[in-house]
Amino acid sequence: MDADQLTTDCRALAARFDARLRLERRASVHTARAYVATAHRLLNFLALHRGGPVAPSDLVTLEASDLRAFLAARRGEGLGASAAAREMSAVRAFLRFAADQLGTSPALPRIATPKRPRTLPRPAAPADAIALAEETGAMARHPWIAARDTALLLLLYGSGLRISEALGLPASVHPLGETLRVTGKRGKTRVVAVLPLVAEAVGHYAALCPWPLTSDAPLFRGAKGGALSADVVRRAVASARRTLGLSDRITPHALRHSFATHLLAGGADLRSLQELLGHASLSSTQVYTAVDAAHMLDVWRTAHPRS
């Protein structure tokens, strides 16, 4: 059974779920698309599993065996542990939404989800982060693009921004001061510090940019004047990374990890770091304590005479 064979009520429920994610929860387009796709997969599976059409009311009476069977089917399709955990997170969100739409309390069956492998972010050394920003700029074909790429990467490293946050900045933030207000996930805003080096680099780019940086335009412009694409940045970084002989793990997002790790090593407390990164939960920030410990252990192994 495919999505076209779902009942009208189920298709309408999935459409309302999409609207809830985008408009009320302010989920990204990517997240909303993934969650709604999971909702359709669940509905299709249940129709096959039960041998008949599924109504929205069936979703509030699901048992643990139904969800275990769905998860087993997805794992059988090659879904890894991390992806399976994300899939079940989307399923729970959809079931909660269905219960809310039907005016009942969600009674979600409890099942064990796959353990996500714990991986630590790999920070770049400070010198490597700066070298990557400079080399990415040096490889650009036009001086203004060189200035743009260098300024953007310095901003990611110097202020701990996500690439989507940096690319979403309006031109009205220029000229940069000592702080910058950033809109992050789910429309939440935070204030980050701006280093003089970063402000200077952004100012240099703005002076060379051939496109008018009007207040309603994006700060970082693409070659044809539109908004700069994250994929363009990632490809430029990959080329510079290969030239410098850096690890494939040193991506634009890794510069944010580097920002966090270096601040923690310099004595920043977790609560302050949480605010600077825009994490909703302190547990997301606590991973950097392990990163810092791992970094110190690497230094000890390399430098200690008795290691």
Side-chain angles (χ1 to χ4, degrees), residues 8 13 15 27 35 39 56 100 117 144 152 166 174 191 213 243 250 257 278 303:
T8 300
L13 182 68
Y35 270 46
D100 178 68
W144 79 269
L152 173 61
H174 173 71
V191 175
L213 295 179
T243 300
I250 306 303
H257 293 318

Side-chain angles (χ1 to χ4, degrees), residues 268-280:
D269 64 271
L270 281 176
R271 284 293 180 188
S272 298
L273 192 56
Q274 179 188 5
E275 291 294 326
L276 289 171
L277 292 171
H279 285 160

Side-chain angles (χ1 to χ4, degrees), residues 1-23:
M1 176 179 286
D2 58 32
D4 291 335
Q5 294 173 292
L6 293 178
T7 65
T8 300
D9 287 345
C10 281
R11 284 199 298 270
L13 182 68
R16 292 197 299 275
F17 181 50
D18 186 26
R20 168 73 64 85
L21 291 169
R22 294 174 188 267
L23 300 179

Side-chain angles (χ1 to χ4, degrees), residues 69-250:
F70 172 71
L71 183 58
R74 294 291 287 139
R75 294 302 297 272
E77 294 170 359
L79 208 64
S82 294
R86 288 193 298 271
E87 186 92 338
M88 293 311 298
S89 178
V91 165
R92 286 191 288 269
F94 180 54
L95 296 181
R96 282 193 295 268
F97 173 76
D100 178 68
Q101 292 288 291
L102 293 169
T104 64
S105 299
L108 304 181
R110 292 180 176 271
I111 68 167
T113 54
K115 297 289 186 183
R116 300 189 191 206
R118 186 175 178 82
T119 57
L120 297 178
R122 294 293 182 89
D128 288 343
I130 301 299
L132 182 67
E134 293 176 345
E135 182 62 26
T136 302
M139 297 180 73
R141 289 178 296 175
H142 304 289
W144 79 269
I145 292 180
R148 179 201 68 191
D149 290 351
T150 298
L152 173 61
L153 295 180
L154 288 178
L155 182 60
L156 298 184
Y157 174 58
S159 297
L161 270 60
R162 301 177 179 92
I163 190 169
S164 59
E165 294 170 344
L167 296 182
L169 289 173
S172 58
V173 302
H174 173 71
L176 297 184
E178 294 182 349
T179 61
L180 175 65
R181 185 171 294 277
V182 177
T183 301
K185 290 185 176 180
R186 298 185 181 178
K188 293 182 178 179
T189 62
R190 69 184 190 279
V191 175
V192 299
V194 178
L195 298 172
L197 172 69
V198 174
E200 182 181 344
V202 172
H204 179 57
Y205 151 67
L208 295 179
C209 182
W211 307 103
L213 295 179
T214 55
S215 59
D216 58 344
L219 174 62
F220 292 106
R221 311 294 285 274
K224 295 183 179 180
L228 178 59
S229 164
D231 286 339
V232 170
V233 179
R234 293 187 184 101
R235 287 195 294 269
V237 167
S239 295
R241 188 177 61 217
R242 286 192 293 269
T243 300
L244 294 172
L246 298 177
S247 165
D248 289 346
R249 291 178 177 267
I250 306 303

Side-chain angles (χ1 to χ4, degrees), residues 22 41 59-60 65 80 100 131 179 208 211 225 253 258 280 294 306:
R22 294 174 188 267
R41 279 193 292 268
L59 297 174
V60 297
S65 59
D100 178 68
T179 61
L208 295 179
W211 307 103
H253 195 67
S258 303
R306 294 187 180 273

